[in-house]
Amino acid sequence: MNYENKSVSIKSWAEDDRPREKLVLKGKSALSDAELIAILIGSGSRNESAVDLSKRILNSIDNNLNKLGKLSVLDLQKFKGIGDAKAISIITALELGRRRRIEEALELPQINSSEAIFNLMQPFIGELQHEEFWIVYLNNSNKVLHKEQLSKGGLTGTFVDVRLVFKKAIELFSTAIILCHNHPSGKLQPSQADKSITNKLKLAGETLDIKVLDHLIITENAYFSFADQNIM
């Protein structure tokens, strides 16, 4: 049965229950996640409103929008009432949100804390299912000159070439760098290999008078900073 053809328009609801009207009258921040998703999908089925359908989807992923952003069209179509068009609308909206976060990160003018680095790099590597190692190159005012993926690995690790790290730093006239990599497992505890490469890069940087300011391990929602933990 095609549930999308037997829909109940939001316009037929009581005025207080209409997400579109609520957004216009009270602003976007007044809407719940379910109400925002209901606007995207437009209608529910004969037996379920768009908001209730949205709540059902969110409940299945622990009300976590990051998890929602990882669902495919086929994943979303498993919910009765969600067809191609609605699934694509949800995926498109969440992808636009992700790209907006990347653009905001690109505009970050200066790094003054480990949290600033996390905000810069999380959109790039925080949700990946494989490990990547990145270098953020800074000038003497701690402004971001460049960021670059140094290596890309499988589920368990990456390879780091110290020579490439500092070759790029010299080309950019960078005076400091910050190391970043993600842990797809979600675990924040640094491994012995993480500590070893940090120390190796720090020693190499001292020879070239290029400071290694920090090393961040980044997951979907959190990070571990070597500098904050005084293990640089």
Side-chain angles (χ1 to χ4, degrees):
M1 181 180 294
N2 189 335
Y3 283 79
E4 288 195 308
N5 291 334
K6 297 185 178 182
S7 60
V8 177
S9 171
I10 290 175
K11 292 182 179 179
S12 69
W13 302 357
E15 185 173 351
D16 290 343
D17 294 331
R18 298 177 188 172
R20 290 189 183 90
E21 285 80 354
K22 185 175 179 180
L23 186 149
V24 172
L25 293 173
K26 299 182 180 181
K28 58 188 178 183
S29 61
L31 275 68
S32 66
D33 292 345
E35 288 171 325
L36 290 170
I37 295 169
I39 291 175
L40 290 174
I41 63 179
S43 61
S45 66
R46 174 173 294 178
N47 300 316
E48 185 177 43
S49 71
V51 171
D52 288 336
L53 173 55
S54 300
K55 287 179 179 178
R56 182 157 58 88
I57 294 171
L58 287 171
N59 286 338
S60 74
I61 52 170
D62 303 317
N63 294 294
N64 187 316
L65 291 178
N66 285 322
K67 290 183 180 180
L68 181 61
K70 295 177 181 179
L71 298 183
S72 67
V73 170
L74 291 177
D75 291 331
L76 288 166
Q77 286 178 328
K78 293 176 183 178
F79 297 93
K80 290 184 178 180
I82 298 293
D84 286 348
K86 293 179 180 181
I88 290 169
S89 292
I90 293 170
I91 289 172
T92 300
L94 290 166
E95 176 62 15
L96 282 171
R98 188 187 71 85
R99 294 185 185 187
R100 179 186 175 189
R101 290 169 59 205
I102 289 177
E103 289 187 2
E104 288 175 345
L106 290 171
E107 295 169 1
L108 191 66
Q110 192 172 42
I111 299 301
N112 50 27
S113 68
S114 57
E115 183 179 6
I117 281 290
F118 172 72
N119 291 335
L120 176 74
M121 294 304 302
Q122 194 281 337
F124 292 93
I125 62 175
E127 300 176 15
L128 298 179
Q129 299 304 307
H130 61 272
E131 192 168 309
E132 292 187 1
F133 199 104
W134 286 61
I135 308 294
V136 179
Y137 296 91
L138 308 175
N139 64 14
N140 57 6
S141 297
N142 285 349
K143 290 188 176 180
V144 178
L145 294 172
H146 180 68
K147 57 185 177 298
E148 185 170 286
Q149 179 197 97
L150 186 67
S151 61
K152 177 179 178 179
L155 294 174
T156 57
T158 61
F159 172 75
V160 177
D161 189 325
V162 175
R163 294 168 298 179
L164 291 178
V165 173
F166 290 103
K167 178 177 181 291
K168 190 68 176 183
I170 292 169
E171 290 173 356
L172 294 168
F173 297 99
S174 174
T175 59
I177 63 173
I178 295 175
L179 321 175
C180 300
H181 79 281
N182 62 310
H183 277 183
S185 66
K187 295 180 180 179
L188 289 172
Q189 191 65 28
S191 66
Q192 188 55 48
D194 295 335
K195 295 176 182 178
S196 177
I197 192 60
T198 302
N199 188 57
K200 189 175 182 180
L201 286 164
K202 183 181 177 181
L203 291 174
E206 289 173 354
T207 302
L208 297 169
D209 200 23
I210 297 173
K211 296 178 181 178
V212 178
L213 297 179
D214 202 352
H215 183 173
L216 263 67
I217 297 171
I218 294 173
T219 63
E220 188 172 312
N221 300 306
Y223 68 93
F224 178 95
S225 162
F226 280 60
D228 288 353
Q229 298 300 320
N230 296 314
I231 56 173
M232 286 296 298

